[in-house]
Structure formats: C-alpha cells, structure tokens
C-alpha cells in the first residue's frame, strides 16, 4: 500500500491526451530517450532514463517503473512515483498476468478488477494501467514495464505500439549488462 492516499507534493493528478497529443508526446519522449541512451548497455541506466523521460512528456504517467524477474517472481526495479509494491508473484495482479501471458495488458479501470488477485493497488489513486513484458535478445522475460494513471481510460493501442517498439529497441540487445559489482 502507498504511504498515504493523499497525493504527495511531487506528484500531480494525471491528464489524458487525445490521439494526436499522445503521438506527439511519445515522439518527444522517444527522441530524448534515444539521444541519452546512445551506446548505453546498462539495464538500470536504461530503465531509470526511460522512466524519467516518459514521465516528463506524458502527463498521465502517475507511476512508471519496472518489475524485474528474479527467482521466479517480480522484484521492484527502477521507478518514479509513490511507494510501489516490493514483490509481486506471477500469479497476482496486472503485472503477474503480463509476465505469465508475455503480452501487454491494458486496463481502463483497475477498480473493476478483483483486487488482490487481478489487480494490486500499490496506490489507491491508480485508476488505469498498462503493463508490458520486457524481453532480452534471447526472448527471455527479464522484467515487466508498469505505468499507472490517476484517471481512467488513459491507455490504448497508441501507448502499446510506442512502448512495445521502445522496449524491444532498448532491451532486446545482445550487449545488455544486467548486473554490476558495487566494489
Ligand atoms: N498495479 C500493479 C502492481 C504494481 S503498482 O501499480 C506499482 C498490479 O496489479 O500488478
């Protein structure tokens, strides 16, 4: 559960975009991501940069982040937003379903789902959601990419199309460094 249902000072309520506004916003965000990740092959640097620039340009990105596949579960990875759940079992939530089915999940109203099994409400302000599987160069599932909006019906096929292309481009690369020593 999030620390509080009240939106913290650093987060504004989501604002939906029409199709043209959405495409323009994604074009801007993806230009920034491409420019900043040229030659980058570190998983966590990529994830952190993608979170930051998508949240900068898409006004309905209330919570954005990655859950990383670790020992058969999903472990919270780099994200921006209120407190995210730390561990998610593949059998639970929208994230678990995206991982199990290896398919993008778009949810217009998360509160229409069975809470706890079909949807996990890390933050009560979350109203709609998209979750995409993330694959490496060998088509192994390495993470899921999760975006929540604080208003309903924020996500559609345009989000799916742009995000699937972005995630394939940035993570299905043979040289991806997925861990590093802090020594
Ligand atoms: N809503 C997700 C859980 C992650 S929080 O949204 C960050 C789910 O149902 O899997």
């Amino acid at each position: 559960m999030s620390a509080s249902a009240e939106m913290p000072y650093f987060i504004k309520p989501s604002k939906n975009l029409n199709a043209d506004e959405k495409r323009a916003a994604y074009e801007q965000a993806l230009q920034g991501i491409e420019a900043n990740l040229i030659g980058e092959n570190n998983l966590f640097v990529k994830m952190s940069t993608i979170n930051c620039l998508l949240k900068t340009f898409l006004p309905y990105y209330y919570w954005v982040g990655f859950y990383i596949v670790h020992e058969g579960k999903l472990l919270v990875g780099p994200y921006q937003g209120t407190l995210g759940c730390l561990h998610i079992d593949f059998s639970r939530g929208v994230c678990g379903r995206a991982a199990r089915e290896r398919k993008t999940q778009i949810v217009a109203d998360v509160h229409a789902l069975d809470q706890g099994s079909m949807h996990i409400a890390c933050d009560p302000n979350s109203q709609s959601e998209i979750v995409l599987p993330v694959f490496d160069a060998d088509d192994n599932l390495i993470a899921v990419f999760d975006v929540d909006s604080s208003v309903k019906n924020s996500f559609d096929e345009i989000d799916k199309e742009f995000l699937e292309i972005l995630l394939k481009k940035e993570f299905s690369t043979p040289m991806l460094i997925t861990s590093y020593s802090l020594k």
Side-chain angles (χ1 to χ4, degrees):
M1 283 299 283
S2 69
S4 152
E6 186 184 334
M7 280 190 201
Y9 70 92
F10 60 88
I11 291 191
K12 290 191 288 187
S14 298
K15 173 181 169 292
N16 281 344
L17 297 179
N18 65 37
D20 289 342
E21 291 168 334
K22 189 178 276 198
R23 286 195 183 91
Y26 271 114
E27 293 295 350
Q28 279 189 288
L30 269 57
Q31 275 173 20
I33 291 166
E34 184 169 3
N36 282 279
L37 293 184
I38 289 174
E40 181 58 59
N41 61 2
N42 183 285
L43 182 79
F44 300 106
V45 171
K46 284 177 174 267
M47 290 180 166
S48 305
T49 305
I50 286 167
N51 290 339
C52 175
L53 290 171
L54 285 171
K55 193 166 172 58
T56 299
F57 289 101
L58 280 301
Y60 51 94
Y61 274 47
Y62 174 76
W63 193 99
V64 50
F66 292 83
Y67 278 87
I68 295 169
V69 176
H70 179 67
E71 295 177 351
K73 289 197 166 194
L74 295 169
L75 214 59
V76 71
Y79 71 92
Q80 293 211 3
T82 54
L83 183 67
C85 309
L86 306 185
H87 304 266
I88 297 179
D89 196 284
F90 272 36
S91 62
R92 296 180 66 232
V94 185
C95 291
R97 186 168 178 183
R100 286 195 312 275
E101 298 184 3
R102 295 168 59 94
K103 285 202 178 85
T104 300
Q105 308 291 322
I106 296 175
V107 183
D109 175 5
V110 297
H111 299 288
L113 297 178
D114 182 71
Q115 297 306 301
S117 55
M118 298 295 284
H119 174 256
I120 303 165
C122 300
D123 182 328
N125 292 299
S126 173
Q127 297 292 331
S128 59
E129 185 167 17
I130 187 170
V131 183
L132 300 94
V134 182
F135 303 105
D136 67 10
D138 300 317
D139 204 31
N140 298 308
L141 182 78
I142 58 172
V144 296
F145 179 64
D146 179 20
V147 191
D148 291 88
S149 166
S150 68
V151 293
K152 290 182 172 57
N153 301 301
S154 293
F155 306 101
D156 59 22
E157 289 301 310
I158 298 172
D159 303 279
K160 179 175 184 288
E161 183 185 329
F162 274 100
L163 292 173
E164 285 182 350
I165 291 168
L166 170 67
L167 295 171
K168 183 172 175 60
K169 177 175 180 294
E170 291 301 336
F171 296 104
S172 297
T173 55
M175 300 299 290
L176 195 61
I177 296 173
T178 56
S179 64
Y180 54 84
S181 160
L182 293 178
K183 286 188 197 106

